[in-house]
Amino acid sequence: METFLIKTVQLLLSLSILVIVHEFGHFIFARMFKVRVEKFYLFFDPWFSLFKFKPKNSHTEYGIGWLPLGGYVKIAGMIDESMDREQMKQPAQPWEFRSKPAWQRLLIMVAGVVFNFILAVFIYSMIAYTWGTSYIPFKNAYAGMEYCQSARDIGFQNGDIPLTADGATLDFMSSETLQKIVEAREVEVLRGTDTVSIAIPQDFMLRLIDKEEQFATYRIPPVVYEAADHTGAQQAGLQKGDRIESINGKTTPSLDELHQVLANYRDTTVTVAFLRNGVQHSAQVMTDSVGALGILISPLAESYDVVTEHYGFWESFPKGIELGVDKLTSYVSSMKYVFTKEGAQSLGGFGAIGSIFPEQWNWEAFWSMTAFLSVILAFMNILPIPALDGGHVLFLLYEVITRRKPNDKFMEYAQMGGMIFLLLLLIYANGNDIFRFFFK
C-alpha cells in the first residue's frame, strides 16, 4: 500500500507540473497578444471545482478541478474543449482569439508544446548540474550482458558485450542504444575474445513488445560484498571484493550462474576459486541447506567502474539540450510500433505511467521521469488530431496557406470528433492496464 501511495503521489505531482507549464505557455502567449484567458485550471472541472479564485480586476479565473486527466486554459473566442457555442455566436471582439492574425494564433497554440520541451531540457540540465550523468560503459562490464529469450533466439548469448550497430559504436545501455540495436541490420558483439556478428530481424522490436521483454541488462558478477556471520563463507575467509570464478571447477561468470551451480551442492563442501586483488585463490566452503555460501553480493556500481561526468552550471545546458533531443528522437522513432498489433496491445494509461516511477522517493529518478514525460507530452500534443494543439495548428496552417478560415461548424465537429477519439483512446489504454493487472 505504501508503494502504491508513493508512486501515486509522484505521478500526480509530475503530471501537475507538466500540465501547469503546458497551459502557462498558452496563457502567457495569449496575454502577450492581448487575448483574454477566461479560465486557467489544473485538472478538469465538469459540474464543480475543488478550488477557484478570480483576482480583482482580472478576466481570468484560476482553479483546481476534481478530474485529474490534465488541465486547460479557456481562451476567449476559441473553439476548444469547453465547446462554448454561445460565445462563438456573438460578434467577434478585439480581445478574442478569433480576432487575432493567424500567426499570433499559431504561436499561442504551439506555446504549450514549446514550453514542455523547454521544461524537459531545463530539468535534464539541472539533473546534469546536480548529479552529473553516470553510466557503465560496455567496455567496463567485464561479465557482459544478460539477454532476454527473444534476444537469445536471434543469436545473442549471455555474456556478450555489444560493440557496434551497423558500424555505429555502442557505448552503454540506454533507450537510445536499444533503438540503434533494434533498427540495425547487424550488431557486433564481443564474445570472449572473438567478435561475432548478429543479424537483427526487422520485427525484432515487435517480438520484444509482444513478449514484454527487456532486451538486456548488465550481468551481476559474483563479487563478495560481505560474508555473513556463522556461515561457510566467513569460516573460509572470503572477503569483500573477492570475485568468485568457479565452484568445483564449474565457471560462474554471473550471479545467476552461481546460483544454478550451487543449487546442486547443498549441505556439502565445495571448492570455490576466486580472484582477490588480481591474484587467484581457492578455498573450501561449506554450503547450507539451500546451497548458499552465505555471502552478500556487491552492487553493480561497486563491481564495475562507473563513469560519472560532472557539469558546471553553464556546461549543463548544452548537455540538457542533447538529452532532450535524444529522448525526443528516440520516442518519435518508436512511435511507428504503436500502429502494429503488438504496439497497440502494449499501450498503457495512468497505471503504466505510474509504474515507471521508483518504489521509494528518489528526487533524481523523479525529475528524470518528469523530464521524459514532458518530452512525451510535447510530442503527443503536437500530433495533428483535433482537440489537441496539433489539430489547431493544422487548421491554422491551412488558413495561412489558403488565406481562408475553416468554417466554425466544421471546427466544432472536428473538435467533438477529436475529443471522442481521445476519450476512446484513454479508455482503451487504461483498459489495457486493468487487463494486465488481473490477467498477466
Side-chain angles (χ1 to χ4, degrees), residues 117 121 124 320-330 375:
F117 187 71
V121 168
Y124 281 131
I321 294 172
E322 176 191 329
L323 290 171
V325 171
D326 285 347
K327 293 295 182 184
L328 179 61
T329 304
S330 177
V375 170

Side-chain angles (χ1 to χ4, degrees), residues 261-325:
V261 172
L262 285 174
N264 300 314
Y265 300 103
R266 302 180 181 183
D267 287 322
T268 188
T269 299
V270 295
T271 301
V272 177
F274 58 94
L275 206 62
R276 177 182 294 169
N277 298 323
V279 179
Q280 196 76 40
H281 295 270
S282 67
Q284 300 298 306
V285 181
M286 183 69 184
T287 64
D288 63 16
S289 59
V290 295
L293 299 175
I295 58 174
L296 298 177
I297 298 297
S298 295
L300 283 179
E302 293 195 16
S303 298
Y304 297 139
D305 289 332
V306 178
V307 173
T308 300
E309 297 176 351
H310 298 283
Y311 302 88
F313 182 76
W314 297 114
E315 294 173 323
S316 68
F317 289 100
K319 186 63 180 180
I321 294 172
E322 176 191 329
L323 290 171
V325 171

Side-chain angles (χ1 to χ4, degrees), residues 195-212:
T195 299
V196 179
S197 295
I198 299 170
I200 307 297
Q202 290 185 345
D203 66 343
F204 183 48
M205 188 64 172
L206 296 179
R207 298 185 195 184
L208 296 176
I209 293 173
D210 184 44
K211 295 183 179 180
E212 299 182 3

